[in-house]
Amino acid sequence: MLCSFLIVRHKNQVLETKNLPFYNTSIDSVADGVYHGKTYTSFMHLQLEVTVKDHQLTNIRVIENKGSRGQKAEAILQDMIIKNKIVVPAIEGDELGSLVFISCVDTALHGE
């Protein structure tokens, strides 16, 4: 019974993550400034502050990161800054949390 519950819960989390907004925002089109993003799912609450200067991601600060996923995925933020890209490979072992981080940064820079 517990296995069935865990499988259903995981499937629901995958579906929820699939439905997150992904705008594919180009950093080249983002003006200098500090942007705020918020993404809440049933398994993770995330708020970020994203700083852009000269079309470069210079800082991504975590304001809130609560839930059953996301602690390990937080490492994805450094990869985004180093590569100056929003969409980077997911952190192995926390792919769903990684997608929440990507969606949150993208949402912040998209302006919603």
Side-chain angles (χ1 to χ4, degrees):
M1 183 132 176
L2 178 61
C3 265
S4 295
F5 169 76
L6 293 175
I7 290 170
V8 169
R9 184 177 75 175
H10 181 72
K11 283 183 180 182
N12 288 338
Q13 290 175 349
V14 168
L15 182 60
E16 187 177 5
T17 305
K18 219 170 126 177
N19 290 323
L20 288 172
F22 295 98
Y23 300 103
N24 200 20
T25 304
S26 170
I27 296 173
D28 292 336
S29 67
V30 178
D32 288 359
V34 178
Y35 300 87
H36 293 88
K38 177 173 24 175
T39 302
Y40 285 3
T41 67
S42 64
F43 58 89
M44 191 172 159
H45 289 190
L46 182 63
Q47 289 187 49
L48 301 173
E49 180 181 270
V50 183
T51 305
V52 175
K53 182 164 175 57
D54 298 325
H55 303 290
Q56 300 285 314
L57 292 170
T58 58
N59 190 38
I60 305 173
R61 186 172 69 92
V62 176
I63 297 168
E64 177 185 24
N65 182 5
K66 295 180 182 172
S68 61
R69 298 185 182 270
Q71 301 309 315
K72 185 176 181 182
E74 196 169 313
I76 200 169
L77 299 177
Q78 265 315 109
D79 202 21
M80 289 178 182
I81 292 169
I82 290 167
K83 294 179 179 174
N84 198 43
K85 291 184 172 185
I86 299 167
V87 180
V88 295
I91 301 298
E92 188 174 335
D94 197 356
E95 289 81 2
L96 294 181
S98 296
L99 290 173
V100 174
F101 274 95
I102 290 169
S103 177
C104 192
V105 170
D106 198 18
T107 300
L109 297 179
H110 183 71
E112 293 199 11

